[in-house]
């Protein structure tokens, strides 16, 4: 269940009342506190709604201008112990875990795609861990670096920007993705160049790692895995299955490719640098294409669950009949 908290201006009261009435038995635990808001003024409306049916109501609230005139607060992962709530879920088409709440997905994308200090630090650390894994030919370190890398967030934001569409997200997400990689490569190259000059490793180590050679061996399978991972990653974000993301991180060879690129630049190995760039490009391309197509398919599927806009209630009736202070 999702918990919605609405600030409803007086002139939108009847519109919101009509929408809630049209939800029938799916909107439960509805509470109305007339005049509860003071800055800005408005009525407080709270309700619980099945996740799989929430986007329909949210879309209608957008249409009547509640976002511009009032506010909508969405609380996800709400646990509601109620027979009425259970009945509401049973009467709503679809499964809760499959429900896509686009407003929640977009909000998370805006938050996670920022080129923040922590994003850059995690990406640089992941790159360095993967670099050590390549030098030591240790797949375990490569896997660890994949988990640490945060770059799937801006990729998902780019997919959302194209598929939703929300083109305003595109410049920031692209900047975070590309800028993060550039910073990670530059920092990694400088660090590995210093380590190389101090005799920390031999360039031959970069060419004798049979367990991690897949990083510099891009192939059609690299694209296949990237497509599958991109599909799984977007599904995990939109259907509230965030635990699946760990598997997605481990599947794609983005951070390891950035790490090898840094090592190759530090030692002047042009061949490995080209192969690493190819691997990175294939993986990013596959994720972006698969993620975008998955979001488009979800939009088509969930658009069929839409119902006609419910009738509006008569003024000052029902739930909103209480006098205003």
């Amino acid at each position: 269940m999702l918990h919605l908290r609405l600030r409803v201006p007086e002139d939108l009261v009847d519109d919101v009342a009509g929408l809630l009435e049209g939800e029938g038995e799916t909107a439960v635990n509805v509470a109305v506190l007339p005049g509860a808001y003071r800055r800005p003024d408005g009525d407080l409306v709270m309700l619980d709604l099945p996740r799989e049916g929430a986007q329909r109501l949210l879309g209608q609230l957008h249409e009547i201008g509640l976002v511009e005139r009032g506010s909508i607060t969405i609380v996800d992962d709400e646990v509601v112990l109620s027979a009425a709530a259970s009945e509401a879920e049973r009467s709503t088409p679809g499964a809760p875990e499959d429900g896509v709440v686009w407003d929640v997905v977009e909000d998370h994308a805006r938050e996670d795609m920022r080129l923040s200090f922590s994003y850059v630090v995690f990406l640089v650390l992941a790159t360095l861990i993967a670099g050590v894994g390549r030098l030591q030919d240790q797949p375990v370190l490569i896997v660890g670096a994949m988990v640490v890398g945060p770059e799937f967030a801006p990729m998902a934001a780019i997919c959302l920007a194209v598929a939703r569409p929300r083109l305003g997200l595109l410049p920031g997400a692209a900047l975070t993705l590309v800028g993060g990689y550039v910073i990670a490569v530059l920092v990694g190259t400088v660090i590995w160049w210093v380590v190389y000059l101090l005799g920390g490793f031999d360039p031959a180590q970069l060419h004798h790692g049979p367990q991690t050679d897949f990083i510099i061996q891009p192939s059609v399978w690299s694209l296949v895995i990237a497509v599958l991972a991109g599909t799984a990653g977007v599904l995990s974000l939109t259907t509230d299955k965030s635990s699946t993301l760990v598997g997605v991180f481990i599947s794609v060879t983005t951070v390891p490719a950035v790490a090898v690129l840094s090592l190759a630049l530090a030692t002047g190995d042009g061949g490995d640098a080209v192969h690493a760039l190819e691997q990175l490009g294939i993986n990013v391309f596959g994720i972006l294409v698969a993620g975008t197509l998955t979001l488009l398919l979800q939009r088509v599927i969930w658009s069929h669950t839409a119902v006609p806009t419910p009738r509006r209630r008569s003024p000052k009736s029902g739930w909103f009949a209480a006098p205003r202070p």
Side-chain angles (χ1 to χ4, degrees), residues 125-146 192 205-206 208-215 255-256 259-260 263:
L125 291 175
T127 301
L128 295 176
I129 293 172
V132 175
R134 174 58 177 164
L135 290 174
Q136 298 296 315
D137 195 28
Q138 290 292 331
V140 173
L141 294 179
I142 299 297
V143 170
M146 291 174 175
W192 289 124
Q205 291 178 258
L206 298 178
H208 298 285
Q211 297 188 79
T212 55
D213 274 346
F214 66 91
I215 301 172
V255 164
V260 171
L263 285 166

Side-chain angles (χ1 to χ4, degrees), residues 165-179:
R166 290 292 185 269
L167 298 182
L169 293 173
L170 197 54
L175 174 63
T176 298
L177 182 63
V178 177

Side-chain angles (χ1 to χ4, degrees), residues 4 152 163 229 278 285 325:
L4 270 59
F152 186 77
E278 290 176 352
F285 174 79

Side-chain angles (χ1 to χ4, degrees), residues 62-208:
H62 276 281
E63 289 178 4
I64 66 173
L66 187 60
V67 174
E68 292 76 18
R69 302 290 313 285
S71 68
I72 304 173
T73 302
I74 304 172
V75 181
D76 208 347
D77 297 326
E78 183 82 354
V79 177
V80 181
L81 303 179
S82 165
S86 299
E87 179 59 31
E89 287 193 336
R90 284 193 294 269
S91 63
T92 304
E97 59 269 22
D98 294 335
V100 180
V101 185
W102 293 108
D103 291 284
V104 174
V105 174
E106 183 175 339
D107 183 70
H108 289 170
R110 290 184 185 277
E111 290 183 359
D112 297 339
M113 74 175 194
R114 297 188 181 99
L115 186 60
S116 61
F117 176 77
S118 59
Y119 176 90
V120 172
V121 169
F122 277 119
L123 187 56
V124 169
L125 291 175
T127 301
L128 295 176
I129 293 172
V132 175
R134 174 58 177 164
L135 290 174
Q136 298 296 315
D137 195 28
Q138 290 292 331
V140 173
L141 294 179
I142 299 297
V143 170
M146 291 174 175
V147 175
V148 174
E151 75 275 20
F152 186 77
M155 292 187 200
I158 291 174
C159 296
L160 181 66
V162 175
R164 183 76 170 117
R166 290 292 185 269
L167 298 182
L169 293 173
L170 197 54
L175 174 63
T176 298
L177 182 63
V178 177
Y181 282 148
V182 170
I183 294 173
V185 169
L186 292 176
V187 174
T189 299
V190 171
I191 290 176
W192 289 124
W193 179 70
V194 173
V195 173
Y196 174 59
L197 289 181
L198 296 176
F201 65 92
D202 189 313
Q205 291 178 258
L206 298 178
H207 305 285
H208 298 285

Side-chain angles (χ1 to χ4, degrees), residues 233-250:
V234 167
L235 284 175
S236 69
L237 291 177
T238 56
T239 58
D240 198 28
K241 294 290 184 181
S242 58
S243 59
T244 309
L245 277 177
V246 176
V248 174
F249 297 153
I250 296 174

